[in-house]
């Protein structure tokens, strides 16, 4: 019976009403409110410290309809679609809060910028099909009057995935699904592979899948800047700060099976200003958790997962930062301009970067090899021991490569099933998620932003049904496994 109750609570039709709600008839966290009230009263008394000349222009507004926590491409995409789909211009006030305004640690800016439809799940394929259309026609979506047009430098060179004998059957199955969803993907035998890409050593390759259309890579920074420019032209407020607290009300209810659960609604978000002790309380109706690798921490801040183990209230958002290395190398005799992004059966991958025989690549570590995510230092030994041998075995020319630079970035890694988390929390009813995509969030951001905006504004998905990505699957133990993660 709890399973049915969970699905009932997760029905977005019930949750889409949040924009019309400012206060519930339940207990507020007055411990958090009293100091603020005292401060405001004191400032108005004789001798108080109220100063009419104090500049508050850097502060976020005291009230807004939607607070988006996270200003990466996913958060900005949600903001864009909320404004684009609003029924009346200016009807919805949106605030985006980003603590790393330089994006020096942001997954978006540190990504290799790939986009593909070669996934195993129909939802992921559909998301990427829309997103590649968005990128191809980006100025139809993100053009701003009197500003220069955007060029995301989309390079449609395709993805080439290589399978061993062990994984060939799964590849065939995946390609069948991809074609059913409209992706243009072909299967290649080792002989066909050798003919088309003579620089590949096909030893150990039983089958390959090659994206013929709509796959390749683009400039993530350009997409980020284009979204930011556009949403600000639409009236979205962008704030440099950090969300440090949620003030919420709670109601108790019983499920059909007799289990008592506590429903929460966030009414206020505390935003600590950048490089300051100053903070601003912001009243809101909806919170979007798009904090990427740190979205698990934001969920905890809202009380998610703070309950008895095995219960819905005790179910955490299983998203955490995972560090991934990207290496840039030069190889004078390396593959030419027709080179796709190659994902080897070993897990190593690479793509061409520019025109001067430079290449980007890396490999996701095994669970035992996972590096410490506490910093973004690069382990050059990882390339030497775990990446280069696979690259050189697959592309003999890479025996003579020279690494020129490297960096590290974060995956917002969903430890449960490596898939996205989209939609409302079943108990913190006005917190919505757009996170956990485990390395493919950038490429799917345009479509995910649209999906979340549809839920908030209409109460249900109108384009791509992502209900299988709801939070409740973590408690129910229903994995939505994506097999093509690298």
């Amino acid at each position: 019976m709890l399973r049915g109750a969970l699905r009932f609570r997760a029905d977005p039709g019930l949750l889409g009403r949040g924009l019309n709600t400012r206060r519930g008839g339940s207990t507020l966290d007055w411990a958090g409110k009293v100091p603020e009230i005292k401060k405001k009263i004191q400032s108005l008394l004789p001798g108080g410290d109220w100063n009419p000349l104090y500049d508050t222009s850097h502060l976020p507004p005291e009230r807004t309809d939607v607070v988006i926590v996270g200003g990466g491409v996913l958060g900005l995409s949600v903001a864009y679609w909320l404004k684009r789909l609003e029924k009346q211009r200016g009807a919805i006030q949106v605030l985006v809060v980003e603590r790393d305004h330089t994006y020096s640690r942001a997954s978006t800016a540190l990504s290799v910028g790939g986009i593909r439809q070669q996934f195993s799940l129909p939802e992921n394929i559909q998301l990427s099909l829309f997103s590649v259309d968005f990128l191809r026609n980006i100025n139809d979506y993100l053009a701003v009057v009197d500003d220069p047009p955007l060029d995301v430098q989309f390079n449609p060179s395709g993805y080439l995935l290589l399978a061993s004998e062990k994984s060939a059957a799964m590849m065939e199955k995946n390609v069948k699904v991809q074609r059913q969803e409209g992706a243009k993907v072909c299967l290649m035998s080792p002989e066909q592979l050798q003919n088309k890409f003579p620089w590949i050593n096909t030893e150990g390759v039983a089958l390959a899948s090659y994206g013929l259309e709509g796959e390749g890579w683009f400039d993530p920074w350009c997409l980020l800047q284009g979204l930011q420019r556009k949403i600000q032209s639409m009236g979205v407020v962008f704030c440099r700060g950090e969300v440090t607290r949620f003030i919420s009300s709670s109601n108790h209810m019983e499920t059909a099976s007799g289990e008592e659960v506590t429903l929460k609604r966030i009414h206020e978000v505390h935003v600590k200003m950048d490089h300051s002790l100053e903070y601003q309380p912001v009243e809101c109706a909806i919170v979007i958790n798009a904090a990427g690798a740190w979205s698990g921490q934001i969920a905890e801040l809202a009380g998610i997962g703070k309950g008895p183990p095995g219960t819905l209230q005790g179910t955490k958002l299983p998203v955490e930062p995972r560090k991934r290395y990207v290496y840039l190398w030069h190889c004078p005799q390396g593959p030419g301009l027709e080179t796709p992004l190659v994902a080897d059966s070993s897990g190593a991958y690479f793509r061409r970067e520019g025109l001067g025989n430079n290449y980007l690549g890396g490999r996701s570590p095994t669970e035992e090899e996972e590096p410490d995510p506490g910093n973004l230092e690069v382990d050059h030994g990882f390339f030497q021991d775990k990446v280069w041998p696979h690259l050189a075995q697959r592309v003999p020319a890479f025996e003579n490569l020279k690494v020129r630079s490297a960096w590290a970035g974060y995956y917002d890694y969903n430890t449960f099933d490596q898939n996205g988390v989209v939609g409302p929390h079943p108990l913190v009813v006005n917190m919505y998620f757009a996170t956990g995509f485990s390395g493919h969030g950038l490429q799917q951001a345009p479509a995910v932003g649209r999906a979340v905006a549809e839920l908030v504004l209409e109460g249900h998905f109108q384009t791509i049904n992502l209900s299988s990505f709801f939070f409740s699957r973590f408690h129910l133990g229903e994995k939505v496994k994506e097999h093509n993660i690298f």
Side-chain angles (χ1 to χ4, degrees), residues 129-164:
L129 280 169
F130 173 75
S131 291
V132 77
D133 178 75
F134 185 96
L135 292 175
R136 280 174 166 161
N137 301 286
I138 193 162
N139 287 295
D140 292 344
Y141 293 100
L142 301 186
V144 174
V145 176
D146 295 331
D147 279 1
L150 293 169
D151 178 10
V152 293
Q153 299 177 46
F154 176 51
N155 186 323
S157 293
Y159 266 61
L160 178 66
L161 276 56
L162 308 180
S164 63

Side-chain angles (χ1 to χ4, degrees), residues 150-224:
L150 293 169
D151 178 10
V152 293
Q153 299 177 46
F154 176 51
N155 186 323
S157 293
Y159 266 61
L160 178 66
L161 276 56
L162 308 180
S164 63
E165 196 70 49
K166 183 179 177 181
S167 56
M170 176 63 74
M171 175 175 279
E172 282 192 86
K173 182 181 176 182
N174 291 345
V175 169
K176 184 178 180 182
V177 176
Q178 292 154 16
R179 288 170 172 170
Q180 286 172 346
E181 297 301 327
K184 303 290 193 300
V185 182
C186 73
L187 288 169
M188 303 173 74
S189 67
E191 294 73 28
Q192 292 170 319
L193 183 63
Q194 184 76 69
N195 288 335
K196 184 161 182 65
F197 303 111
W199 40 265
I200 282 186
N201 170 20
T202 60
E203 181 183 348
V205 176
L207 194 63
S209 60
Y210 178 47
L212 301 171
E213 187 179 303
E215 294 191 331
W217 52 91
F218 62 97
D219 180 357
W221 184 251
C222 181
L223 176 60
L224 180 80

